[in-house]
Amino acid sequence: VQLQASGGGLVQAGGSLRLSCAASGRTFSGYTVGWFRQAPGKEREFVSGIRWSGGYTYYADSVKGRFTISRDTAKNTVYLQMSSLKPEDTAVYYCAADANAILSSMRRSSTYDNWGQGTQVTVSS
């Protein structure tokens, strides 16, 4: 599956952005889709994930209550709605998908075989 991430940009602290991750080549059916981010000089970290079947969602503690992950089955797209953004949310955001991710492994970037290109999110103070 090929992934296309979009929606990044520059926003002031407290603002909102919505990221999109669209699949091509096949549907997300049976996949777990994750959002990760990487700030300069830091390791890539898990942000949020969703199981396409059932729509179960998962969040990093740092974004819980501010970010919402969702899916549109008709558009074969996963969204990450980011609200109450903070300067520390500044990073390149990546979406990833894997057919074999399980609950214990889905927060690890090494679990995912399919990655989209990153999209830059910059939050100014």
Side-chain angles (χ1 to χ4, degrees):
V1 60
Q2 290 79 47
L3 308 179
Q4 179 72 35
S6 61
L10 173 64
V11 64
Q12 288 188 332
S16 299
L17 281 174
R18 189 179 77 162
L19 305 184
S20 300
C21 178
S24 61
R26 61 153 293 160
T27 70
F28 276 135
S29 179
Y31 277 71
T32 295
V33 180
W35 283 99
F36 290 78
R37 66 186 181 187
Q38 189 165 19
K42 294 188 177 181
E43 292 186 356
R44 191 169 296 189
E45 65 173 356
F46 174 81
V47 175
S48 183
I50 187 168
R51 291 191 179 277
W52 193 258
S53 301
Y56 300 103
T57 59
Y58 309 88
Y59 298 94
D61 288 343
S62 59
V63 307
K64 202 172 292 183
R66 300 188 297 122
F67 291 10
T68 302
I69 192 169
S70 63
R71 74 197 195 293
D72 185 324
T73 55
K75 295 183 178 180
N76 209 31
T77 299
V78 171
Y79 301 101
L80 185 68
Q81 178 68 46
M82 305 186 296
S83 302
S84 302
L85 283 162
K86 305 175 181 180
E88 51 264 44
D89 294 317
T90 295
V92 178
Y93 283 70
Y94 300 89
C95 64
D98 195 83
N100 300 306
I102 58 177
L103 186 60
S104 62
S105 68
M106 69 179 299
R107 296 172 185 262
R108 295 198 297 264
S109 59
S110 59
T111 294
Y112 296 81
D113 287 336
N114 305 283
W115 289 83
Q117 89 292 357
T119 184
Q120 177 71 46
V121 172
T122 303
V123 184
S124 63
S125 57

